[in-house]
Amino acid sequence: LVTSRFVAGQPADALLAFLKAGRLPDDPATVSGRPMPGFGWVPEADLAAIVAYVKSRNRVPAGAPVQRP
């Protein structure tokens, strides 16, 4: 995730929603073709802390193209 253009291109609230909902393998934005389970059962404050941490560690080079869902 440190070099994830997806993480770099998403605002924190969008990443939080993504973690809550997950993604099905047939979603057009899926890169791997594999499902990602949702974590809606995790308290929102905990998910927000995870998002903040992941965003803080992201090191996408300046000017790199951003991958959008």
Side-chain angles (χ1 to χ4, degrees):
L1 295 175
V2 172
T3 59
S4 170
R5 290 184 173 116
F6 176 75
V7 169
Q10 300 302 309
D13 60 337
L15 287 175
L16 182 65
F18 176 72
L19 287 177
K20 281 182 176 181
R23 184 177 284 165
L24 295 174
D26 61 350
D27 186 303
T30 297
V31 176
S32 70
R34 296 187 175 135
M36 188 196 102
F39 295 93
W41 52 271
V42 175
E44 188 158 338
D46 292 347
L47 289 176
I50 292 166
V51 168
Y53 176 75
V54 169
K55 292 285 280 181
S56 76
R57 303 294 298 164
N58 188 262
R59 301 288 182 252
V60 172
V66 175
Q67 178 184 1
R68 302 230 181 247

